[in-house]
Amino acid sequence: QVQLVESGGGLVQPGGSLRLSCAASGSIFSINAMGWYRQAPGNERELVATITSGGAINYADSVKGRSTISRDNAKNTVYLQMNSLKPEDTAVYYCKAYARAKGSRYSYDYWGQGTQVTVSS
């Protein structure tokens, strides 16, 4: 119904930058919030940043000031620009969309497959 595909992860040195992208496709009626979450080994998945269709934004304290989330509603795509990366930012980053598929009465959370971000020298 709704598929999410992330891209842009990789290996970066401490202090470096990465830009993650997540494109939603499929039988989409509407998308409300989109966001990024991450999960490091041995840890629970945690929120990184979210953005609503109206542009309201929320950041985790751990990335505030270093990351910028943005969205292209026409392309059903959300981006996460991460700067001043630290080793503790190492995790699998997942995209999530709260979306309503065509023919559905309700919206649901849809997840991408994740993209690895490794910050290491």
Side-chain angles (χ1 to χ4, degrees):
Q1 292 180 328
V2 179
Q3 295 82 40
L4 302 176
V5 178
E6 302 106 331
S7 61
L11 173 65
V12 63
Q13 292 186 344
S17 298
L18 278 178
R19 188 189 193 215
L20 306 182
S21 299
C22 172
S25 63
S27 184
I28 299 170
F29 179 81
S30 64
I31 300 177
N32 189 349
M34 298 187 79
W36 291 93
Y37 294 74
R38 67 187 182 186
Q39 187 168 19
N43 291 356
E44 294 185 353
R45 192 171 297 187
E46 63 179 9
L47 178 146
V48 177
T50 61
I51 182 169
T52 68
S53 57
I57 290 173
N58 181 46
Y59 293 105
D61 288 342
S62 59
V63 303
K64 200 172 293 183
R66 301 188 295 120
S67 297
T68 302
I69 190 171
S70 60
R71 178 171 171 171
D72 186 334
N73 290 330
K75 295 181 178 180
N76 289 330
T77 299
V78 64
Y79 306 96
L80 182 68
Q81 176 69 43
M82 299 188 294
N83 302 320
S84 302
L85 283 162
K86 305 174 182 179
E88 51 263 42
D89 293 316
T90 296
V92 178
Y93 283 70
Y94 295 92
C95 173
K96 187 180 86 168
Y98 185 64
R100 180 180 170 187
K102 292 179 181 177
S104 175
R105 295 177 60 187
Y106 305 105
S107 295
Y108 297 94
D109 284 335
Y110 294 89
W111 291 89
Q113 81 286 353
T115 185
Q116 177 70 47
V117 172
T118 302
V119 184
S120 175
S121 55

